[in-house]
Amino acid sequence: MEISSHQVHLLEQLNEQRKQDLFCDCSILVEGKVFKAHRNVLFASSGYFKMLLSQSSKETTQPTTATFEVFSPETFMVILDFVYSGILSLTGQNVIEVMSAASYLQMTDILNVCKTFIKSSLDINEKDHYLSLSAKSTNSEPTHPSLYRSRRKAKSNPRRSCSVPEEKTNTVNENSWSGYNSYLSSQVILQRTETQLSKRGRKQSTTRKRRKHLGLSQGRDCAQHKSHKAERASGDCSTSESSHISRVREEAKFDAENNVDHGYNHESEAVPKRDLDSGDLPRMRFKCPFCTHTVKRRADLKRHLRCHTGERPYPCDACGKRFTRLEHLRNHFQTIHQAGKLICRKCKRHVTDLTGCVVQQGTRRYRLCHKCLAEANFDSIPDDLDAEHSPTSSTGNKCSKWALEEEQKSDEETMEEEPYNLVVRHVNNDIPDEADEKVKPNLR
DNA sequence: CTGGGGACGGGGCCC
DNA sequence: CGGGCCCCGTCCCCA
């Protein structure tokens, strides 16, 4: 005989224990703020903690400490509350960061809910083409988070909540969100407040220029490229997600500073929005729910949203770097791994297979003309000028080192003798590091 | 310190 | 609607 209330009761008790710091054997440090929790609970809820705690499981007598800098304490609070209550306090303001954090912590349930949250917000506006939310936004609780919870009863929470399919949430049935959709359309107002978004110190956007399109602030000049750098250093896709958080924050901060009205409270956010062109003809625009950007086509919006969600479905097989678009992957691959540019890297002259040859270093390939090759004193395929891998000292002797490196490589890395083939895989971000089985045709 | 170039991200739009 | 191309802006590295 199953007593359904037991699970609820158990979780409530654990939550109480957490709040009273009873039996907490794990401290999580998020940007200086300490959260107490139970190892067992974290282990059961997060793939990240599962890994972390299983590594330190032998030292069970010592309290475990985990430190995070990639998301804010507020975000972690939302996640921790969910872990201990089954209630996920999602808002248009925090959904991106919660999603990124969930991705980092490998909490697929939350990840899927966040995705659905975003998707739902788009679907709503899709259905309500010309239905302005202005009237709806007069609701007394316009900024209340929408609460995702499991089937357990929302005992003590007076706020509206929405049923979330709790079991098998890895495959969230989107149909089950119809209730949420209606809730969303009447309740959820995606807005970003300055207070929330300016909490964390970020690079001042004084140098930021407005983007050319529609005065759009993409904010990528700062955060995106920070992440880009981080990616280069670590190859960790989570950095791109955290960068995306920064970006969104920066956008909001910038907008707040510049008094930009996103119209989130009084316009349909995610999209079709009527616009009058010069000829007074109605023209549909699709509005991004996270920034001021509008596009003509839904597909373009979908593409644009990747810059908010941090989704990078196209990983490079050669170096692991991930891209938001196939064409970017292809360009990267051809340039970096296939020496696609028929230009001598040294003298910048045009080279062909006859007038030059391909030099390889690691996974990178480029071309040198025979002259530069000779000047570099290479007998055979030399290696290169690549800062990432080139020896830092004795620069004068770089070339011989490269050549040597190449000789050594010839034995152990025979596969590098073969040019890389670009196999495009569309990787599901749910499991960032797991190669997707869905292999697209080889593009070459 | 600075300018040039490479790499990359993102938008517009055509097919 | 997806794929692809072109263009532009930004960052980073290096000479």
Side-chain angles (χ1 to χ4, degrees), chain A residues 271 284-286 294-303:
Chain A
V271 205
M284 293 300 296
R285 300 287 296 187
F286 293 86
T294 61
V295 293
K296 281 184 181 175
R297 300 193 316 147
R298 194 189 315 278
D300 285 338
L301 179 66
K302 191 176 172 185
R303 188 179 70 173

Side-chain angles (χ1 to χ4, degrees), chain A residues 25-300:
Chain A
D25 50 6
C26 187
S27 299
I28 304 100
L29 190 63
V30 184
E31 289 191 345
K33 186 169 181 182
V34 180
F35 295 87
K36 294 282 191 177
H38 303 96
R39 266 193 280 214
N40 290 343
V41 176
L42 296 176
F43 188 97
S45 308
S46 155
Y48 178 91
F49 280 111
K50 190 169 284 186
M51 289 276 289
L52 183 76
L53 295 170
S54 59
Q55 284 170 4
S56 60
S57 60
K58 290 159 192 168
E59 308 149 13
T60 48
T61 53
Q62 296 292 324
T64 304
T65 302
T67 305
F68 297 105
E69 297 290 340
V70 292
F71 43 76
S72 68
E74 293 80 8
T75 301
F76 187 71
M77 176 83 86
V78 169
I79 288 177
L80 199 58
D81 283 344
F82 168 76
V83 165
Y84 275 90
S85 68
I87 299 172
L88 186 63
S89 301
L90 273 189
T91 68
Q93 302 151 357
N94 69 10
V95 60
I96 294 296
E97 189 167 357
V98 169
M99 188 165 85
S100 295
S103 171
Y104 189 88
L105 296 172
Q106 297 169 46
M107 302 173 79
T108 49
D109 289 3
I110 297 181
L111 208 52
N112 285 323
V113 167
C114 289
K115 283 182 180 176
T116 310
F117 183 102
I118 294 171
K119 190 173 183 300
S120 298
S121 70
L122 297 182
D123 289 345
I124 286 303
N125 290 278
E126 208 170 298
K127 289 166 190 166
D128 303 339
H129 265 209
Y130 304 110
L131 190 58
S132 167
L133 286 180
S134 57
K136 301 166 189 169
S137 67
T138 57
N139 189 297
S140 60
E141 298 177 342
T143 58
H144 264 183
S146 46
L147 300 177
Y148 292 84
R149 54 177 305 128
S150 63
R151 288 199 199 112
R152 291 184 295 270
K153 284 183 182 175
K155 275 189 73 175
S156 60
N157 203 320
R159 292 180 289 190
R160 283 204 193 191
S161 63
C162 166
S163 254
V164 176
E166 64 177 336
E167 287 87 17
K168 304 181 181 103
T169 46
N170 280 348
T171 52
V172 172
N173 178 4
E174 292 177 7
N175 293 333
S176 68
W177 289 90
S178 56
Y180 166 67
N181 280 347
S182 59
Y183 167 65
L184 187 83
S185 64
S186 63
Q187 287 284 315
V188 175
I189 305 300
L190 297 178
Q191 70 170 32
R192 292 173 288 175
T193 60
E194 186 178 5
T195 49
Q196 183 200 17
L197 293 154
S198 60
K199 274 182 183 171
R200 301 168 78 190
R202 297 286 170 188
K203 183 178 167 186
Q204 279 295 329
S205 54
T206 49
T207 56
R208 181 198 311 256
K209 294 171 189 169
R210 296 298 269 172
R211 299 276 304 167
K212 56 175 178 173
H213 312 291
L214 306 164
L216 166 65
S217 165
Q218 284 294 319
R220 65 188 178 199
D221 43 355
C222 173
Q224 162 198 318
H225 288 281
K226 272 189 207 162
S227 75
H228 172 51
K229 188 181 181 181
E231 275 176 20
R232 280 184 186 170
S234 67
D236 183 354
C237 69
S238 65
T239 57
S240 71
E241 292 183 359
S242 60
S243 77
H244 138 73
I245 298 166
S246 313
R247 185 164 59 235
V248 172
R249 284 185 174 141
E250 287 226 343
E251 285 169 16
K253 187 177 178 186
F254 177 84
D255 293 339
E257 285 167 357
N258 292 275
N259 226 1
V260 173
D261 181 9
H262 287 250
Y264 288 134
N265 278 332
H266 41 74
E267 272 185 340
S268 70
E269 29 252 339
V271 205
K273 180 185 174 183
R274 218 161 222 194
D275 192 13
L276 294 181
D277 61 15
S278 53
D280 248 31
L281 294 172
R283 200 177 48 180
M284 293 300 296
R285 300 287 296 187
F286 293 86
K287 185 177 180 307
C288 172
F290 301 108
C291 69
T292 58
H293 188 58
T294 61
V295 293
K296 281 184 181 175
R297 300 193 316 147
R298 194 189 315 278
D300 285 338

Side-chain angles (χ1 to χ4, degrees), chain A residues 360-362 383 389-391 399-410 412-413:
Chain A
Q360 176 161 345
Q361 179 183 14
D383 225 332
H389 302 287
S390 61
C399 299
S400 54
K401 276 197 176 181
W402 298 334
L404 178 62
E405 196 177 302
E406 195 66 30
E407 280 174 21
Q408 291 170 340
K409 266 192 254 175
S410 61
E412 51 197 1
E413 299 180 28

